[in-house]
Amino acid sequence: MKSIESILAQDTFSKEDIIYLLSTNVEDRNKLYSKAAEVKEKYLSRKIYFRGLIEMSNLCQKNCNYCGIRIGNSKVKRYNLSDDEVLESAKFAWENRYGSIAIQTGEVNNKNFTERIEGLLDKINRATNNELGITLSLGEQSDDTYQRWFNKGAVRYLLRIESSTQDLYYKLHPNNKNHNFETRINCLKSLKRIGYQVGTGVMIGLPFQTLEHLADDLLWMQEFDVDMVGMGPYVEHPDTPLFDFKDILIPQEERFNLALKMTAILRILMKDINIAAPTALQAIDPLGREKAIKCGANIIMPNITPGYYRNDYKLYENKPCLDDAADDCKKCLEARIHLTGYEIGYGEHGNSKHHSARIEKS
Ligand code: SAH
Ligand code: SF4
């Protein structure tokens, strides 16, 4: 049997190695975290980059079994920010030198929505002197729509695979043509072909999920050659079908630790990608995102959605910072990041180095 030291001395990992690392005890997992931090500093820098997160709307046509804003949840108060409200948030990010924003919504695909986003991209770029790096996270769309948004200056796209194991994917989603595993993969391929920095991710600690599934997820990300990853613990929401399986879940603390281990292993596997410290970590531990930074993450997504809408964008329970105005969030995050010993890359895009290397190679 290999030792933790010999596994961590390797440059890449087999599925067995990953399962071993995911099963480590406290002492060994600290060695894993230190190694991941070392890799991050060697291949990237001590800088952490911000993406100001704008949760533009909770309208959604889909019905994912885990998500609080699924169309089937009639308890949700639906909202849709006006263009001016989105612009105000984008300007806040620009004026505070966040470098980048990420616009996220439920999934809506129709002509009006495509055109609205095109118009918004124009407006944001005009209002911020083309200086913000813009990330979109607007679900599955047609090639043409992805291309149109890219042409208007969106540079990154986040679309989590949720689970790279098809069987598990169908346990998390209704089995119908609106929730098709292959479509998801094809969307990711299309984003890559168009030239986006492509981000994906999975939820960790889902019902029915095993360490093998998680190891496969990491190897799938490596094989797909993604540029960015955001993966966090699954946090159950009472008004969703997956809540029925709450009794077979591993405890939240274990999901949290698994998410940190996944982050650290991925950093060693894919040295120069961007890895986000997801907000869901903070729903379990108030210092969650800071802990992720210490074991390989290099991106933080401060929520800059106008405060009075935040309560209605609840994908899961205990979502943090629901009552904070964007400005409070900035101050508290800044202090928290400085405590980790890292610095904030103010005014910089912090693009994925992996993406630039990939484009140069092709
Ligand atoms: N509609 C878009 C973007 C919003 S959802 C999309 O689906 O891609 C963004 C992410 O939130 C999802 O990819 C999912 O991984 C995560 N999410 C949803 N419900 C969650 C839950 N209960 N616990 C943890 N993460 C969740
Ligand atoms: Fe809609 Fe995204 Fe939630 Fe699925 S995960 S229900 S697509 S917001």
Side-chain angles (χ1 to χ4, degrees):
M1 179 121 180
K2 290 187 199 168
S3 66
I4 178 92
E5 282 80 12
S6 64
I7 295 178
L8 291 179
Q10 298 168 192
D11 208 34
T12 192
F13 302 132
S14 67
K15 183 167 170 179
E16 289 66 38
D17 295 335
I18 297 176
I19 293 175
Y20 179 96
L21 292 172
L22 288 173
S23 324
T24 42
N25 60 19
V26 176
E27 193 186 325
D28 283 355
R29 89 180 177 220
N30 286 336
K31 293 180 188 157
L32 166 65
Y33 298 165
S34 302
K35 172 77 187 192
E38 211 179 280
V39 169
K40 179 170 78 170
E41 268 182 53
K42 180 162 172 210
Y43 288 84
L44 301 175
S45 66
R46 294 194 66 79
K47 281 193 184 158
I48 303 299
Y49 299 100
F50 278 177
R51 316 292 184 227
L53 176 65
I54 306 172
E55 295 163 336
M56 187 173 101
S57 163
N58 65 2
L59 293 167
C60 186
Q61 296 169 344
K62 287 178 89 170
N63 220 3
C64 306
N65 294 340
Y66 43 83
C67 179
I69 62 169
R70 64 202 300 271
I71 191 171
N73 184 7
S74 55
K75 292 192 192 162
V76 179
K77 196 165 109 217
R78 304 285 165 177
Y79 73 88
N80 195 356
L81 296 193
S82 67
D83 281 11
D84 282 347
E85 285 170 320
V86 177
L87 267 183
E88 275 313 303
S89 299
K91 276 200 258 170
F92 170 88
W94 180 58
E95 282 156 8
N96 286 280
R97 308 189 59 243
Y98 276 21
S100 295
I101 53 168
I103 302 177
Q104 192 172 76
T105 61
E107 191 174 308
V108 174
N109 23 46
N110 60 41
K111 189 163 162 277
N112 278 351
F113 185 74
T114 303
E115 288 172 359
R116 177 174 181 210
I117 298 295
E118 279 188 306
L120 253 178
L121 289 168
D122 273 343
K123 285 186 192 172
I124 293 172
N125 280 326
R126 264 200 306 274
T128 60
N129 206 18
N130 290 309
E131 284 175 8
L132 283 176
I134 305 180
T135 308
L136 299 179
S137 178
L138 313 174
E140 294 169 15
Q141 304 286 341
S142 67
D143 286 7
D144 180 57
T145 297
Y146 285 147
Q147 183 71 59
R148 283 167 63 173
W149 293 342
F150 186 75
N151 295 347
K152 289 287 181 189
V155 291
R156 316 183 188 107
Y157 204 98
L158 301 174
L159 184 70
R160 286 184 173 181
I161 187 71
E162 315 297 359
S163 167
S164 63
T165 304
Q166 190 162 332
D167 278 359
L168 182 55
Y169 188 89
Y170 284 121
K171 290 197 171 88
L172 308 176
H173 299 92
N175 200 342
N176 61 29
K177 75 173 188 348
N178 218 1
H179 301 81
N180 184 282
F181 182 72
E182 229 165 278
T183 307
R184 195 99 183 153
I185 302 260
N186 286 336
C187 283
L188 286 164
K189 287 184 181 162
S190 156
L191 290 163
K192 203 169 176 186
R193 202 168 45 242
I194 291 169
Y196 281 96
Q197 296 171 50
V198 181
T200 194
V202 294
M203 283 174 286
I204 297 161
L206 290 157
F208 317 110
Q209 190 181 46
T210 62
L211 295 187
E212 274 205 37
H213 289 134
L214 290 172
D216 283 337
D217 288 336
L218 293 180
L219 293 170
W220 178 86
M221 290 173 198
Q222 191 182 32
E223 168 75 24
F224 193 87
D225 206 17
V226 295
D227 304 309
M228 326 182 286
V229 169
M231 54 186 172
Y234 163 66
V235 184
E236 62 274 34
H237 190 296
D239 303 315
T240 60
L242 219 57
F243 197 69
D244 291 349
F245 301 100
K246 63 178 189 312
D247 295 337
I248 60 165
L249 289 174
I250 56 172
Q252 284 203 346
E253 195 193 331
E254 267 178 57
R255 283 177 248 164
F256 179 88
N257 288 330
L258 265 182
L260 290 189
K261 287 178 187 171
M262 288 283 283
T263 302
I265 299 168
L266 183 67
R267 173 55 71 207
I268 304 171
L269 274 179
M270 301 191 76
K271 300 176 176 23
D272 57 353
I273 64 169
N274 278 347
I275 304 181
T279 316
L281 279 178
Q282 213 187 334
I284 298 180
D285 177 335
L287 290 176
R289 290 187 294 189
E290 292 74 5
K291 289 184 180 168
I293 286 176
K294 286 187 166 171
C295 58
N298 68 325
I299 303 287
I300 290 253
M301 300 176 74
N303 195 336
I304 56 169
T305 311
Y308 37 91
Y309 291 109
R310 284 195 206 169
N311 229 337
D312 299 317
Y313 197 87
K314 266 202 202 156
L315 308 176
Y316 45 80
E317 282 185 311
N318 299 329
K319 197 180 148 195
C321 291
L322 282 180
D323 302 322
D324 290 351
D327 199 26
D328 296 331
C329 262
K330 185 191 171 212
K331 285 190 205 116
C332 88
L333 255 181
E334 194 170 75
R336 282 149 164 262
I337 288 167
H338 285 145
L339 283 176
T340 64
Y342 288 90
E343 58 181 289
I344 301 165
Y346 277 122
E348 296 178 52
H349 283 189
N351 284 323
S352 164
K353 285 201 176 164
H354 189 78
H355 178 258
S356 8
R358 188 160 69 69
I359 298 296
E360 257 171 45
K361 263 193 264 159
S362 62

